[in-house]
Amino acid sequence: MSNLSVGTITTTGSTTIVTGTSSKLNTGALIENEVSQNNVKADKIDIKVQENDLLIAGYEEFYGLAQNFQESLANLKSQTSFLDNGNAFAQRTGDLQSTGAIATSLINVSIEENAPIGDYTIVVEQKAEAFSVGSGNFVDKTADLNEVGSFTIGIDSKVAQQIDVVATDSLQDIADKINLTMGDSGVSASVLKVSETEFQLIIEGTETNEAMTISTLSGNVMQNLGIVDGADAFVPAQIIQNEQGSRVILNGATITRDDNAYDDLIEGLSFDVIEADAGSTITVSVDNDISSAKESILDFVDSYNAFREFAITNQQVNADGSIPEDAILFSDNFLETFNYQVSTLLSSATGEGLAGSLRNLGITFDNQNRLLVEKEADLDAALLDDFQSVANFFATGVTTDNDEFAIIGNTSTIEDLSFSVDIILDVNGDITTATVGGQSVFSIESGNRLVGNAGTAYEGMTFAYAGTTDATIAVTLSAGLADLLNNTIEGYTSPAGVIQEQITVLNDKNDDYTAEAAEIRERGEDIREDAIAKYAAMEAKLSSLNSLLNTIRALLGTNTDD
């Protein structure tokens, strides 16, 4: 009986070998077993990476929902930065009524945030117009006029420009030459077809209530066109419109302007005259934009509830006491702290009047701490009858006894604060000291900015003083719910906030874990190569012995092992 073995073809790692040729052992399996034993730790590390990936996904969802909640507060919180656009409580809505012509055919009204609330009556007595004049009629706008000469033309606020006319110029050519100088002269020209067979050169100023002047330098071009007389005075019959300013009556006061824009009478309210009608009285009513404020409040409720659903999911326990798979952040310290801080602010928020609390606004909690707009009628009533109290409930209010001192930044979570700050300036008008009760609680920046020092009640607050003399200024701050929530959430959602910090920590751990697992697996490959060499040497030795045995058997003339 022969001991020759053809073995088994085995792939171990990326290497294909023949195993068991002499030993009849499955050396491939033995090799894989050695590598697997080495790689057990790497496999366990892979599980840690997967667990961290789940946590990262949970934190990213936490971050996104918290950020959405914070963004919903932007229209409710106070606006202290110069870059802020104003919150929902600063928005205004307007209504136009007229005793005669349709109001929108007479004026175009623009109402900006914080415009004074009230009714304004407007009568448009005169619309501002630019001077315009026409030539005589001509049967062909492109025919040579056979006129030669020069003249200057311009309006009062511009510089008159010289126009040179040659014999081959047509009516259209003269218009084109005038238009080439329009930017400097303030005069435009066009050729108008006034009948089926006639054309007229129309010259018009580009600015209202500005006189136009034509001066002949040579020839009689403009006279022959019928626009001016021999003294360069405009022919009355050819004048289409004399220059004039606008005139309106606002709340009984007569006001004039050179143009039709009235944007400096009432801050936040402007209008442009479209047409005059002295027989029509327009009433512009400016009021709070209640619908915008309500929409922002409801958006705040919805955004909070979207986050709350995520929090509830991560607080659930199965009936058997196990944790559901989707409760990725179960018992997470950051999530629990966030929930506590937010719910505490919501439940403890107080105000005045019809906005004494969220409950006064018709907003309550359900048994899972979701917000419910349980009595929408209460919210509507508060917005309609006590709008300012609703605004004060959500937005931080800061009052001072000096109009030149203002808050320009607030990330504080302090609820109420009253203090007097003593400011001393140097000869250049820059602040040298700013103390509260004799204590230095502010850092001075850019000469006139006071930044609250860390660890004090003023941390997170920035004020600016535009005064030119020393002053003692009384300040009262009453924090609104939206500001408190926003500033609290900022600690979680900012680039340096706790959520991003935790995601960074987990990613760094995963990088380390991945590198460690790779090193272990590299050692596993070394083990594989060593084992392949070891078993190959063993097979070779056994093969040599088998060959010797077969030779002995041949000499003895036997194929048995006896």
Side-chain angles (χ1 to χ4, degrees):
M1 177 177 180
S2 173
N3 288 317
L4 179 64
S5 172
V6 298
T8 303
I9 296 176
T10 302
T11 298
T12 175
S14 60
T15 303
T16 300
I17 59 175
V18 177
T19 65
T21 54
S22 298
S23 67
K24 300 181 181 179
L25 297 174
N26 186 352
T27 52
L30 295 174
I31 293 169
E32 286 302 315
N33 184 57
E34 288 187 45
V35 174
S36 296
Q37 286 181 354
N38 175 81
N39 290 351
V40 166
K41 185 177 180 182
D43 295 337
K44 291 180 178 179
I45 290 174
D46 288 344
I47 294 173
K48 290 182 179 180
V49 172
Q50 293 170 2
E51 291 173 345
N52 283 348
D53 283 340
L54 286 175
L55 286 174
I56 290 170
Y59 280 123
E60 287 175 342
E61 187 175 2
F62 178 9
Y63 178 85
L65 290 167
Q67 191 174 55
N68 289 341
F69 180 29
Q70 184 179 23
E71 289 174 354
S72 75
L73 301 168
N75 283 331
L76 297 174
K77 72 182 186 71
S78 61
Q79 309 297 304
T80 55
S81 168
F82 294 119
L83 300 178
D84 290 332
N85 295 320
N87 61 23
F89 304 110
Q91 303 304 312
R92 299 291 184 261
T93 185
D95 178 63
L96 275 75
Q97 299 293 332
S98 174
T99 60
I102 298 174
T104 53
S105 70
L106 302 178
I107 60 173
N108 180 36
V109 179
S110 176
I111 301 173
E112 299 177 2
E113 60 189 39
N114 290 315
I117 294 171
D119 294 333
Y120 306 90
T121 60
I122 302 171
V123 178
V124 182
E125 293 191 322
Q126 182 171 285
K127 178 185 177 182
E129 300 282 3
F131 178 85
S132 61
V133 63
S135 69
N137 294 346
F138 293 82
V139 296
D140 190 342
K141 70 175 183 177
T142 60
D144 296 349
L145 292 175
N146 294 313
E147 292 287 345
V148 178
S150 299
F151 60 91
T152 61
I153 187 169
I155 60 175
D156 286 350
S157 66
K158 300 286 187 176
V159 178
Q161 300 296 304
Q162 180 173 323
I163 308 296
D164 299 315
V165 180
V166 297
T168 56
D169 281 342
S170 65
L171 209 61
Q172 186 63 59
D173 291 331
I174 295 175
D176 293 341
K177 288 184 175 182
I178 291 173
N179 285 333
L180 284 175
T181 67
M182 178 171 55
D184 296 317
S185 69
V187 177
S188 66
S190 61
V191 177
L192 181 66
K193 187 175 183 180
V194 294
S195 73
E196 288 297 325
T197 59
E198 294 179 308
F199 298 88
Q200 191 177 40
L201 175 66
I202 306 297
I203 299 173
E204 184 175 13
T206 58
E207 303 290 341
T208 56
N209 203 27
E210 296 242 3
M212 184 185 299
T213 302
I214 292 177
S215 299
T216 299
L217 301 178
S218 64
N220 297 294
V221 177
M222 300 305 273
Q223 290 93 329
N224 293 340
L225 291 180
I227 294 175
V228 297
D229 58 22
D232 284 339
F234 291 103
V235 176
Q238 298 302 118
I239 295 175
I240 300 171
Q241 173 67 56
N242 278 306
E243 72 276 6
Q244 65 182 33
S246 61
R247 185 174 65 253
V248 302
I249 300 175
L250 175 65
N251 288 353
T254 300
I255 304 165
T256 61
R257 292 288 185 270
D258 286 332
D259 56 20
N260 290 305
Y262 290 80
D263 56 6
D264 56 357
L265 300 178
I266 302 168
E267 186 173 359
L269 174 65
S270 61
F271 61 91
D272 295 314
V273 171
I274 300 174
E275 196 58 68
D277 185 349
S280 297
T281 298
I282 305 165
T283 300
V284 180
S285 298
V286 179
D287 205 348
N288 294 308
D289 191 346
I290 292 176
S291 63
S292 177
K294 181 179 179 180
E295 182 180 349
S296 296
I297 293 171
L298 296 179
D299 183 42
F300 144 72
V301 170
D302 291 341
S303 296
Y304 167 75
N305 286 340
F307 168 79
R308 186 65 198 142
E309 290 297 336
F310 170 77
I312 292 170
T313 297
N314 284 279
Q315 293 171 334
Q316 297 296 322
V317 178
N318 292 325
D320 61 1
S322 61
I323 308 302
E325 289 186 4
D326 56 353
I328 299 171
L329 298 183
F330 183 83
S331 292
D332 179 78
N333 180 61
F334 298 119
L335 181 58
E336 289 185 350
T337 301
F338 184 95
N339 275 323
Y340 173 76
Q341 290 175 315
V342 170
S343 62
T344 298
L345 288 172
L346 290 172
S347 61
S348 63
T350 59
E352 298 177 346
L354 296 180
S357 64
L358 283 174
R359 178 174 291 277
N360 290 151
L361 295 174
I363 302 172
T364 58
F365 291 94
D366 68 6
N367 60 0
Q368 292 280 12
N369 263 354
R370 302 181 191 91
L371 289 177
L372 297 176
V373 185
E374 189 174 17
K375 296 181 179 179
E376 193 168 343
D378 289 352
L379 177 60
D380 292 337
L383 288 168
L384 184 64
D385 300 329
D386 201 359
F387 187 88
Q388 192 56 51
S389 290
V390 179
N392 293 341
F393 180 82
F394 285 101
T396 292
V398 179
T399 58
T400 73
D401 60 358
N402 188 316
D403 292 338
E404 295 178 313
F405 188 80
I407 189 168
I408 60 172
N410 179 25
T411 59
S412 170
T413 55
I414 194 166
E415 295 190 15
D416 296 292
L417 186 65
S418 294
F419 63 95
S420 291
V421 56
D422 298 312
I423 295 176
I424 298 176
L425 308 180
D426 62 17
V427 294
N428 297 317
D430 294 331
I431 300 174
T432 57
T433 61
T435 57
V436 176
Q439 301 297 312
S440 180
V441 296
F442 293 106
S443 297
I444 302 168
E445 295 183 358
S446 303
N448 69 341
R449 295 173 60 196
L450 302 180
V451 180
N453 291 334
T456 70
Y458 312 92
E459 180 179 356
M461 301 179 192
T462 303
F463 297 90
Y465 179 54
T468 57
T469 60
D470 298 349
T472 296
I473 302 169
V475 182
T476 299
L477 180 145
S478 179
L481 173 61
D483 284 82
L484 291 173
L485 286 169
N486 176 80
N487 295 345
T488 298
I489 297 171
E490 182 68 14
Y492 293 83
T493 59
S494 72
V498 295
I499 299 178
Q500 288 297 336
E501 181 180 352
Q502 188 64 10
I503 290 174
T504 299
V505 168
L506 291 171
N507 278 322
D508 289 345
K509 282 185 178 180
N510 278 355
D511 290 341
D512 293 339
Y513 284 151
T514 301
E516 183 180 356
E519 289 178 4
I520 293 171
R521 290 190 170 96
E522 284 178 8
R523 290 196 296 272
E525 291 306 308
D526 292 340
I527 291 171
R528 184 190 309 280
E529 294 301 321
D530 291 344
I532 289 172
K534 177 179 69 176
Y535 287 117
M538 181 191 74
E539 295 288 352
K541 185 67 175 177
L542 288 174
S543 177
S544 176
L545 292 174
N546 280 335
S547 294
L548 178 60
L549 178 61
N550 289 334
T551 299
I552 295 172
R553 285 172 176 166
L555 292 172
L556 296 175
T558 180
N559 287 326
T560 67
D561 293 330
D562 297 334

